[in-house]
Amino acid sequence: MNSKKIRQSFIKFFENKKHHKVASAPVLPYDDKSLLFTNAGMNQFKSIFLDLEKPKYIRVVNSQKCIRVSGKHNDLEEVGRDGFHHTFFEMLGNWSFGDYYKKEAIQWAWELFTEVWKLDKSRLWVTVFKDDDEAYNLWEKETDIDKSRIIKCGKKDNFWEMAETGPCGPCSEIHYYVGDDLENQNAKHVNNSSDYWELWNLVFIQNNRLKDGTLEDLPNKHVDTGAGLERICSVLQGKNSNYETDLFSETISDLEKISKTKYIDNEVTYNVICDHIRMLSFAIADGVLPSNEGRGYVVRRVLRRASKFVMNLDFKRNQYYINWSNQLFPQCLTLILN
Ligand code: SER
């Protein structure tokens, strides 16, 4: 299945469960000073969670453009070191605003993964927050996951917060073993090894973190889930790295043509450049231009970082022409290469 079909099948699955499809918010959060960039699908729904706004729909599904290069969620240093972290990625998500809660969120995530996408159950692991017996019991009773594959973890991994303040809550993550030896899986390696990829995070939003660090209960309980499209594509397309999926293949082959170098000889360099091109394209398209401060400075740093990696390729720059359908990519590539 190509990435477009995978995105569509996620949306369709939840539309069939009475979710309303909404558009991605821009990567530039216009009215939230706690964030430099949109870092999760739930950002645009913050005021609904805080009960400052009534939801138009109580069940929503979408694919959100996210940038994680600043603040509480920053993956910049991981990019290139492995094949599954990005500065820019798409997060598939389903939401319940005071409607269904843990039971349906868990049942549906398992149904989509194991019945629709037919992911191998002998590779799937689930984590729950250590105090969340309800989620633990639901995984055990409402799905056919092997009990030994449900793990309790602490706050660092299983209590999700978008920023220093704001809506938050315990979460349950689904991880996938990507290694070669099925017999060699170990609960201790989940969250601690690059052979286990977090594919989907189900957050049970029930608290609000205040400026003084305390937690208050929200008036209603909500569901906020996030599944990384790039990782799902990698797993469903049987690849070892997100960069081997169709989401990156065109950019990689254009970079090969322009630079007259080969991906296989320069994997890390290519990965960093391709990741950064996407981040720059979407940031600039949504109105964040490189500058000396704030968001613009982050964009400038990423641009510089990409240019530095281009130098690794050691090729003669400037005279080239690329006929890409999406004009943003060549524009950014031009910025990086010149
Ligand atoms: N907000 C959660 C996350 O970003 C789930 O969508 O992981």
Side-chain angles (χ1 to χ4, degrees):
M1 235 191 315
N2 67 27
S3 52
K4 201 171 168 187
K5 291 225 165 80
I6 292 170
R7 191 190 291 111
Q8 277 168 352
S9 78
F10 183 93
I11 305 261
K12 191 100 224 118
F13 178 84
F14 284 102
E15 280 180 337
N16 287 340
K17 301 202 183 296
K18 301 194 166 46
H19 288 62
H20 183 84
K21 183 185 167 192
V22 298
S24 168
V27 293
L28 163 63
Y30 289 112
D31 53 0
D32 191 342
K33 300 247 178 320
S34 72
L35 290 172
L36 276 185
F37 294 98
T38 299
N39 65 5
M42 54 79 72
N43 297 163
Q44 66 166 314
F45 306 119
K46 188 174 160 185
S47 55
I48 296 177
F49 292 142
L50 294 176
D51 207 26
L52 302 171
E53 184 190 335
K54 289 281 158 246
K56 208 163 159 195
Y57 308 97
I58 53 172
R59 295 181 183 188
V60 158
V61 59
N62 80 348
S63 180
Q64 173 65 49
K65 304 175 276 186
C66 297
I67 289 183
R68 290 195 169 173
V69 277
S70 51
K72 205 168 179 65
H73 300 278
N74 189 342
D75 289 333
L76 183 61
E77 295 306 322
E78 313 299 327
V79 174
R81 280 196 201 159
D82 62 39
F84 60 99
H85 278 95
H86 299 290
T87 56
F88 169 89
F89 66 100
E90 268 186 76
M91 191 184 277
L92 302 165
N94 58 291
W95 283 269
S96 155
F97 303 129
D99 184 37
Y100 64 85
Y101 202 41
K102 295 180 186 176
K103 184 173 155 202
E104 290 84 350
I106 288 172
Q107 281 176 333
W108 292 341
W110 194 248
E111 183 186 335
L112 179 60
F113 264 11
T114 63
E115 288 173 35
V116 180
W117 287 343
K118 301 199 186 311
L119 290 182
D120 183 353
K121 285 177 201 165
S122 65
R123 290 181 178 274
L124 291 171
W125 293 82
V126 159
T127 63
V128 295
F129 183 53
K130 61 180 175 40
D131 301 334
D132 193 351
D133 291 335
E134 187 189 358
Y136 186 95
N137 293 334
L138 285 167
W139 276 110
E140 212 188 337
K141 287 201 191 85
E142 302 294 334
T143 74
D144 61 354
I145 189 170
D146 188 308
K147 196 179 166 190
S148 65
R149 292 180 165 267
I150 314 172
I151 312 165
K152 289 190 172 179
C153 297
K155 185 169 170 287
K156 180 176 149 281
D157 294 308
N158 282 82
F159 193 91
W160 198 84
E161 311 199 33
M162 62 169 262
E164 297 313 320
T165 59
C168 52
C171 62
S172 181
E173 294 179 341
I174 311 179
H175 295 247
Y176 186 84
Y177 174 68
V178 296
D180 296 327
D181 186 0
L182 276 182
E183 301 306 315
N184 197 22
Q185 297 180 63
N186 188 330
K188 290 203 178 85
H189 295 161
V190 176
N191 278 322
N192 293 310
S193 154
S194 57
D195 277 344
Y196 296 78
W197 291 6
E198 177 202 327
L199 292 188
W200 202 348
N201 188 12
L202 317 179
V203 186
F204 310 118
I205 300 264
Q206 55 189 44
N207 305 107
N208 182 26
R209 177 79 66 191
L210 301 173
K211 271 198 189 124
D212 65 5
T214 54
L215 278 184
E216 66 176 13
D217 284 343
L218 289 170
N220 296 303
K221 292 180 175 172
H222 314 274
V223 171
D224 150 26
T225 87
L229 174 71
E230 293 76 4
R231 290 183 191 178
I232 305 261
C233 287
S234 193
V235 165
L236 291 180
Q237 293 173 11
K239 308 291 187 191
N240 294 317
S241 150
N242 296 354
Y243 297 96
E244 291 169 20
T245 67
D246 66 309
L247 286 163
F248 288 91
S249 53
E250 219 179 307
T251 317
I252 289 176
S253 94
D254 279 326
L255 192 50
E256 285 188 320
K257 275 187 225 139
I258 296 163
S259 67
K260 300 199 172 50
T261 59
K262 284 274 161 231
Y263 178 66
I264 47 164
D265 302 327
N266 304 279
E267 226 179 277
V268 173
T269 298
Y270 265 68
N271 290 352
V272 172
I273 296 170
C274 290
D275 170 88
H276 289 8
I277 283 173
R278 295 200 330 155
M279 182 276 182
L280 292 163
S281 302
F282 283 95
I284 292 168
D286 278 347
V288 192
L289 291 171
S291 74
N292 289 336
E293 52 184 16
R295 298 178 171 115
Y297 185 62
V298 176
V299 169
R300 188 169 146 183
R301 270 183 39 221
V302 172
L303 189 55
R304 274 216 201 114
R305 196 163 184 272
S307 305
K308 241 171 83 186
F309 275 85
V310 167
M311 285 173 196
N312 294 344
L313 294 180
D314 188 25
F315 69 95
K316 285 209 177 1
R317 299 178 209 178
N318 45 55
Q319 297 300 316
Y320 58 84
Y321 170 73
I322 327 155
N323 186 14
W324 281 342
S325 52
N326 184 342
Q327 290 303 310
L328 282 169
F329 285 118
Q331 274 173 28
C332 278
L333 202 55
T334 309
L335 283 172
I336 293 167
L337 298 178
N338 284 317

